[in-house]
Amino acid sequence: MAVFVMALALSCTDHSNPDLGGPNCSRVDGTPRLYPCEFEIVKIDFMQQSSNDATFATITPANHNVALKAALAFSYVKNSTLTATVVFKVRLHIKRIANPAFPTPGGYWISESVAGGEVDDPSVLRPNTYYPAPALGMAVGETIQVFSRLTFYTSDNVIDQGPSMISIQNPVTYANLAAAPNNYALVRDLSEAHYAGFNITYTGL
């Protein structure tokens, strides 16, 4: 449980663009974060089903619009006559913008927040269990690509718009920020980068 809780943290906030953690790394309330944010999520590619190469959409801080199609999902599971869980494979382009405040011998966590509450509520955060925790050991200024997944829920072919956020956590930094005397509680204040504010249109099966 402790590891799970540590994994469920997210964010640093660029005060000029609250949807993408950046070099300024302000907290949600606009005050500076205690430790610099390590990463920036430059863009996110939505992959066709399980492909590692073929994309059908790309979003950036300047373009939050994405048209999701159930036929392109990694998985589509009917929960009832009217509801379904739809999972999309995504590829994150992650740029290192600062060195880590603490080493991460177990790697980093890529997490998503899913429908059911506010984006800063740890109870709606889920760590990526599909891929090993990446080391993200690149130099400052270097960008690499990492795969993850995003989960959405539909009712009568209408997708739940939120909350939806994908983020990166350094579990050691997270633990230090969450503990006294810092007592950080908001997930966007606890992560090394985040991307939120997806503007989704959806076509069901």
Side-chain angles (χ1 to χ4, degrees):
M1 177 61 74
V3 172
F4 178 79
V5 171
M6 280 184 18
L8 300 184
L10 299 135
S11 192
C12 82
T13 314
D14 183 324
H15 192 48
S16 64
N17 186 341
D19 291 328
L20 185 67
N24 293 334
C25 203
S26 298
R27 299 178 64 185
V28 172
D29 65 5
T31 60
R33 187 174 182 255
L34 180 60
Y35 304 116
C37 292
E38 296 185 41
F39 304 109
E40 177 183 342
I41 300 174
V42 178
K43 62 180 179 179
I44 301 174
D45 299 319
F46 284 76
M47 314 306 293
Q48 295 183 23
Q49 298 175 337
S50 61
S51 175
N52 287 339
D53 304 304
T55 66
F56 68 87
T58 297
I59 56 176
T60 69
N63 176 27
H64 299 287
N65 301 321
V66 57
L68 300 179
K69 299 179 180 180
L72 296 174
F74 179 87
S75 69
Y76 178 93
V77 177
K78 290 282 285 185
N79 300 321
S80 69
T81 303
L82 296 178
T83 63
T85 300
V86 190
V87 180
F88 291 88
K89 182 176 181 178
V90 294
R91 180 173 59 197
L92 280 65
H93 297 250
I94 301 171
K95 180 180 180 180
R96 179 171 283 284
I97 58 175
N99 289 315
F102 300 94
T104 55
Y108 290 80
W109 291 89
I110 310 295
S111 295
E112 62 172 323
S113 64
V114 295
E118 298 297 326
V119 293
D120 281 312
D121 179 0
S123 72
V124 300
L125 298 175
R126 301 290 183 270
N128 184 352
T129 59
Y130 302 102
Y131 305 97
L136 301 183
M138 62 278 208
V140 173
E142 184 180 356
T143 300
I144 66 169
Q145 299 173 12
V146 173
F147 288 107
S148 189
R149 300 185 191 178
L150 278 171
T151 305
F152 299 93
Y153 302 104
T154 68
S155 179
D156 200 18
N157 273 336
V158 177
I159 203 161
D160 189 328
Q161 289 283 342
S164 188
M165 180 165 68
I166 194 164
S167 56
I168 307 167
Q169 303 89 41
N170 175 330
V172 184
T173 302
Y174 167 68
N176 277 272
L177 290 175
N182 299 314
N183 299 317
Y184 283 29
L186 302 181
V187 295
R188 285 179 292 168
D189 291 344
L190 288 161
S191 292
E192 303 306 318
H194 75 275
Y195 191 105
F198 298 92
N199 183 23
I200 301 167
T201 56
Y202 174 74
T203 304
L205 291 175

